[in-house]
Amino acid sequence: KERVRGIWSCEARGIFAGALALALVRARENRRGGAAAAAEEEKEEEEEPTAVKSKKQRYRKEKPWDHEGIDHWHVAPFGKDDSSGPFLEESSFVTLFPAYREKYLREMWPAVTKALEPHGIVPTLNLIEGSMRVATTRKTYDPYAILKARDMMKLLSRSVPLAQAVKVMRDETHCDVIKIGNLVRNKQRFVKRRQRLIGPHGSTLKAIELLTDCYVLVQGNTVSAMGPFAGLKQVRRIVEECMANVHPVYNIKAMMIKRELAKDPQLAQENWDRFLPKFKKRNVKAKADVKASKKDKEYTPFPPLPPESKIDKMLESGEYFLSEDVRRQRKQREREERADALKKVKRAEREKEFVAPTKVEEDEMKRNAMRNGEASVKKETDRKRKRSDVADVRDKGGGSAWRSDMESAKRSAEKRFEAKKEPSERAKW
């Protein structure tokens, strides 16, 4: 008690009592203010009905810095003034290239060096290892430039021309190399689907480029794409679905409809599913071979007999018990019998030519011979008439006299033909 009395002196008691009174006053004020605020909220609720928030939006808070006018895909430019100074460490990347690109890269390497010089990047071509290396220098001011240079080397190794690959160094252009070699196991099926992605005369690929604002190149087991992020995302989806046996035309059609719907401001915040086409997957199964229905056999507990062996057949015929010489003689005799039968058939075919024809066959042969004779006579007369006409034209010159000579030569040739024809008719009758 004495200790407590010593601690609680008069001054301490006064300070404690003042603090307690101040706390009570503030609590009363807060109660009054809280009651007034609650009354105001009740009035607002009565005036305006509360909007029911979904489960997804229940705990979301307003973000004053994020509004509809912000372009989230925009990349701010980075200049030399934004850099804090030269880099402390050197960064480098190495990319391999196939042997068939060596000639092109060797010719274009001075242009590659010139294109990367403004960014402070030094490229190196190693023909022994078959690699391309890019590294930063003290003149490099953009930290992301080395990654852009690495992407440029990737595109060059995948057969993208230099004039197109240089565009990846721009801030608004990016690239994506899609690997499709391991998406389809069957080689023939892979080739067909890759060709389906290109289309007849490259028409499908051109449509994809126009709708996505990207440059697309199909080379071997990869698809190289260059363009904005939104377009690259669409290109990757189209390529992967094409390798999964979804024709690119379906995605192209949906993208065209979305492009037209985006132009209408009234439909900007609505769901577009009702406008997009819905394609059903149709698996056309091959027709099963219709086999003849087998009749139900009677059940037998015993398994079928094994097929007879060569020795069993010899035992059944009695040949097994014969000696080797007798077997050889029997085979020789069977061979001679088959040869004799074949000789008889061939002899009968040869003797058919010497059999006298019947009366009907003889008359038919005569008629055919007379027809062939008349045709040969007519052909011979036409040939001789042509020769005579050519000779007359060669001897006599043009004008009306030439025409009259031609007509007379024609009449004389016809008389000769009729004179030759009469004896043949007499002989015929």
Side-chain angles (χ1 to χ4, degrees):
K1 288 180 181 178
E2 289 177 0
R3 288 178 184 174
V4 171
R5 285 174 189 167
I7 293 169
W8 288 97
S9 61
C10 296
E11 294 177 1
R13 288 175 195 165
I15 293 168
F16 178 74
L20 184 61
L22 183 62
L24 290 171
V25 170
R26 285 180 180 175
R28 287 173 190 169
E29 290 177 356
N30 288 340
R31 283 177 193 169
R32 290 172 186 171
E40 290 178 2
E41 287 180 0
E42 287 178 1
K43 288 180 181 179
E44 290 177 359
E45 287 177 359
E46 290 175 359
E47 292 174 359
E48 297 179 2
T50 56
V52 180
K53 290 186 177 182
S54 63
K55 188 176 180 181
K56 185 178 178 182
Q57 302 286 341
R58 189 174 297 169
Y59 300 105
R60 292 219 171 170
K61 295 182 179 180
E62 294 294 331
K63 300 173 183 175
W65 63 87
D66 190 6
H67 53 85
E68 294 182 357
I70 294 177
D71 184 8
H72 295 282
W73 294 106
H74 177 67
V75 179
F78 191 90
K80 291 183 179 181
D81 299 335
D82 300 325
S83 178
S84 60
F87 302 152
L88 298 176
E89 294 290 339
E90 181 191 82
S91 302
S92 62
F93 291 98
V94 178
T95 305
L96 300 176
F97 61 87
Y100 62 84
R101 292 289 289 172
E102 180 178 337
K103 184 180 177 181
Y104 178 81
L105 292 173
R106 198 189 308 161
E107 293 174 356
M108 293 294 173
W109 202 250
V112 174
T113 307
K114 189 176 180 180
L116 294 176
E117 188 177 357
H119 302 277
I121 305 293
V122 176
T124 308
L125 179 65
N126 192 335
L127 297 176
I128 298 172
E129 295 180 359
S131 63
M132 296 177 288
R133 182 177 181 271
V134 287
T136 57
T137 61
R138 292 188 64 81
K139 294 182 180 179
T140 309
Y141 61 90
D142 188 358
Y144 199 70
I146 184 65
L147 300 179
K148 290 273 190 178
R150 178 201 62 184
D151 293 342
M152 180 179 168
M153 297 299 113
K154 278 185 183 179
L155 294 172
L156 287 173
S157 66
R158 296 315 307 151
S159 298
V160 176
L162 177 62
Q164 192 68 35
V166 170
K167 295 178 183 178
V168 81
M169 298 302 295
R170 301 173 184 171
D171 289 337
E172 67 276 5
T173 307
H174 308 275
C175 81
D176 188 10
V177 179
I178 307 163
K179 295 180 181 180
I180 59 175
N182 57 353
L183 298 180
V184 182
R185 289 187 178 181
N186 193 331
K187 185 68 176 178
Q188 294 179 352
R189 196 175 296 165
F190 168 75
V191 172
K192 284 183 180 178
R193 292 181 185 177
R194 185 179 62 182
Q195 184 60 35
R196 190 185 297 168
L197 184 65
I198 298 170
H201 307 292
S203 58
T204 307
L205 203 64
K206 189 67 178 176
I208 294 171
E209 289 180 349
L210 292 173
L211 289 169
T212 59
D213 297 330
C214 293
Y215 170 82
V216 185
L217 177 69
V218 180
Q219 172 67 22
N221 293 334
T222 58
V223 178
S224 304
M226 291 175 56
F229 279 123
L232 293 176
K233 187 178 179 182
Q234 292 175 336
V235 171
R236 177 171 278 274
R237 189 182 74 250
I238 292 170
V239 171
E240 289 178 352
E241 289 186 0
C242 180
M243 290 293 121
N245 203 20
V246 177
H247 204 284
V249 171
Y250 300 143
N251 285 313
I252 289 171
K253 190 173 182 181
M255 287 165 64
M256 291 172 68
I257 294 170
K258 286 179 182 177
R259 174 172 282 194
E260 294 298 322
L261 291 171
K263 295 177 182 178
D264 191 352
Q266 296 179 356
L267 298 172
Q269 302 298 330
E270 293 185 16
N271 191 2
W272 293 347
D273 288 343
R274 66 179 188 273
F275 301 109
L276 300 177
K278 295 178 178 62
F279 301 101
K280 293 182 180 180
K281 190 175 182 181
R282 297 178 181 178
N283 284 335
V284 181
K285 295 182 179 179
K287 293 183 179 178
D289 296 334
V290 181
K291 296 182 180 179
S293 59
K294 297 180 180 179
K295 295 182 179 179
D296 296 336
K297 297 180 180 179
E298 295 181 1
Y299 172 74
T300 55
F302 307 104
L305 294 172
E308 291 184 353
S309 63
K310 192 175 181 181
I311 296 174
D312 294 337
K313 292 178 182 178
M314 291 172 69
L315 285 169
E316 189 176 352
S317 62
E319 188 181 353
Y320 183 79
F321 303 102
L322 298 176
S323 62
E324 192 68 28
D325 295 337
V326 176
R327 289 181 199 167
R328 196 181 299 108
Q329 289 174 6
R330 181 179 286 185
K331 287 182 181 179
Q332 183 66 22
R333 200 181 308 121
E334 289 175 358
R335 201 178 296 115
E336 289 174 357
E337 286 175 0
R338 286 197 299 270
D340 291 342
L342 191 61
K343 281 180 183 178
K344 287 178 182 179
V345 172
K346 289 188 176 181
R347 191 183 299 115
E349 289 178 358
R350 285 195 299 270
E351 288 177 354
K352 279 182 183 179
E353 298 178 0
F354 302 101
V355 177
T358 60
K359 185 68 176 174
V360 177
E361 291 176 352
E362 192 174 352
D363 295 342
E364 184 66 26
M365 289 167 66
K366 286 180 180 178
R367 281 196 292 273
N368 291 338
M370 282 191 289
R371 285 197 207 100
N372 294 336
E374 286 181 4
S376 61
V377 169
K378 188 175 181 183
K379 187 185 266 188
E380 184 67 21
T381 52
D382 290 345
R383 188 166 56 81
K384 288 182 179 179
R385 186 195 306 164
K386 194 180 288 185
R387 282 182 183 175
S388 63
D389 293 345
V390 171
D392 292 341
V393 170
R394 194 179 296 161
D395 295 340
K396 298 178 182 180
S400 59
W402 180 79
R403 291 195 196 91
S404 61
D405 292 340
M406 286 292 292
E407 291 173 359
S408 62
K410 188 176 179 181
R411 284 195 295 272
S412 62
E414 288 175 355
K415 287 179 182 179
R416 285 198 302 272
F417 175 69
E418 293 294 335
K420 284 184 180 180
K421 192 175 179 181
E422 287 175 3
S424 64
E425 287 181 357
R426 289 196 205 99
K428 177 182 174 182
W429 291 107

